[in-house]
């Protein structure tokens, strides 16, 4: 009799919550940036980037807008959640708190969780536990979106306008790999516009049209030399 009661309780639990096996079959799209386009005339303020070149990954994600209950024991908090896989029924997302990433809270007695699930074609969010049980709630406020993610093997080069003193302008070069700056490849460069209105650095070439201590206006002749990623 006791075994029957336990089986009935388990059946009730699965009916209320459901089963889910997180998938890990998703690969984000890798893309390169080189901006602004060659030939364009651009105005930027002091401290802003004049040129950017590098690569990053475009990652499918969901952005949760408000705290969302999932079952009786879990709350999916606002922030973004990166996709890690999918099956015919749902998309699965990893929990990455920090820097805008969302996080999940649970009541004390509830099972630990390992991910978030969004049923396809719906606004229903679920929390997937370590027992592969999906605790789901009512339709919630979240959006499916693309998110630019800097990965560990990403590489970026940037020129930043630092202002003008007399006839000279100051430009900062910054180089980074992943989320880490590469100090040995950072530099501050000074150019005298009385000598030339065209400046260059690491293959990049710009024609300076106007420069003040508030902004700089320039034409892009060439971006950085292609980097070996």
């Amino acid at each position: 009799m006791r075994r029957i009661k336990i089986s009935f309780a388990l059946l009730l639990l699965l009916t209320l919550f459901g089963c889910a096996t997180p998938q890990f079959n998703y690969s984000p799209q890798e893309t390169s940036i080189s901006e602004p386009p060659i030939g364009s005339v651009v105005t930027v303020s002091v401290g802003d980037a004049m040129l950017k070149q590098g690569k990053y990954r475009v990652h499918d994600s969901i952005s949760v807008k408000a705290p969302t209950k999932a079952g009786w024991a879990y709350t999916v908090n606002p922030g973004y959640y990166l996709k890690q896989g999918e099956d015919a029924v749902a998309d699965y997302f990893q929990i990455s708190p920090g820097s805008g990433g969302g996080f999940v809270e649970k009541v004390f007695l509830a099972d630990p969780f390992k991910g978030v699930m969004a049923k396809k074609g719906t606004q229903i969010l679920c929390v997937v536990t370590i027992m592969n049980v999906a605790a789901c709630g009512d339709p919630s406020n979240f959006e499916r979106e693309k998110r630019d993610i800097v990965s560990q093997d990403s590489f970026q080069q940037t020129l930043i306008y630092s202002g003008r003193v007399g006839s000279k302008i100051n430009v900062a070069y910054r180089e980074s790999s992943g989320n880490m700056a590469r100090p040995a490849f950072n530099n501050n460069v000074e150019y005298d516009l009385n000598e030339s209105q065209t400046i260059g650095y690491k293959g990049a070439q710009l024609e300076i049209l106007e420069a003040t201590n508030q902004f700089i206006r320039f034409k892009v002749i060439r971006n950085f030399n292609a980097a070996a990623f």
Side-chain angles (χ1 to χ4, degrees):
M1 185 67 178
R2 185 177 178 183
R3 185 175 298 174
I4 293 174
K5 287 182 179 179
I6 293 174
S7 298
F8 177 77
L10 180 59
L11 178 61
L12 179 61
L13 179 66
L14 295 179
T15 301
L16 291 174
F17 293 91
C19 294
T21 303
Q23 304 296 311
F24 299 89
N25 54 4
Y26 173 75
S27 296
Q29 175 189 357
E30 188 172 273
T31 187
S32 298
I33 58 170
S34 182
E35 53 187 37
I38 292 174
S40 59
V41 175
V42 183
T43 301
V44 302
S45 300
V46 171
D48 288 343
M50 302 169 69
L51 287 181
K52 290 191 291 185
Q53 180 171 280
K55 71 172 183 176
Y56 61 95
R57 288 186 171 93
V58 180
H59 213 121
D60 287 344
S61 68
I62 55 173
S63 178
V64 178
K65 305 302 181 182
T68 300
K69 293 296 292 183
W72 62 273
Y74 304 94
T75 300
V76 182
N77 285 289
Y80 70 84
Y81 298 78
L82 299 179
K83 185 174 179 178
Q84 65 184 23
E86 65 178 301
D87 56 25
V89 177
D91 295 311
Y92 299 90
F93 301 87
Q94 62 188 11
I95 300 168
S96 304
S99 300
F103 64 99
V104 174
E105 295 176 290
K106 74 177 187 71
V107 300
F108 178 71
L109 295 177
D111 287 335
F113 48 83
K114 61 180 179 180
V116 172
M117 180 181 86
K119 293 185 177 181
K120 289 186 175 179
T122 74
Q123 288 295 113
I124 295 177
L125 277 184
C126 310
V127 170
V128 182
T129 75
I130 60 170
M131 303 301 292
N132 286 342
V133 173
C136 303
D138 295 328
S140 59
N141 184 13
F142 71 90
E143 296 178 358
R144 291 175 170 84
E145 62 182 21
K146 303 283 188 180
R147 179 169 290 272
D148 298 341
I149 298 295
V150 177
S151 59
Q152 291 300 314
D153 63 345
S154 297
F155 180 84
Q156 298 87 40
Q157 296 171 281
T158 309
L159 276 185
I160 301 169
Y161 184 50
S162 299
R164 178 169 182 164
V165 178
S167 63
K168 297 178 180 180
I169 62 171
N170 295 292
V171 175
Y173 173 77
R174 298 291 181 263
E175 191 172 293
S176 61
S177 181
N179 288 316
M180 302 296 294
R182 304 174 68 190
F185 296 91
N186 293 345
N187 199 10
N188 297 307
V189 189
E190 185 178 78
Y191 298 92
D192 191 339
L193 297 182
N194 285 338
E195 295 181 3
S196 176
Q197 296 294 117
T198 301
I199 67 172
Y201 194 86
K202 281 188 174 287
Q205 204 168 55
L206 307 174
E207 180 186 355
I208 308 304
L209 303 176
E210 185 179 3
T212 72
N213 262 331
Q214 286 76 45
F215 68 89
I216 188 168
R217 188 165 65 93
F218 59 92
K219 181 178 181 180
V220 182
I221 301 173
R222 191 167 61 217
N223 211 313
F224 297 108
N225 292 328
F229 296 139

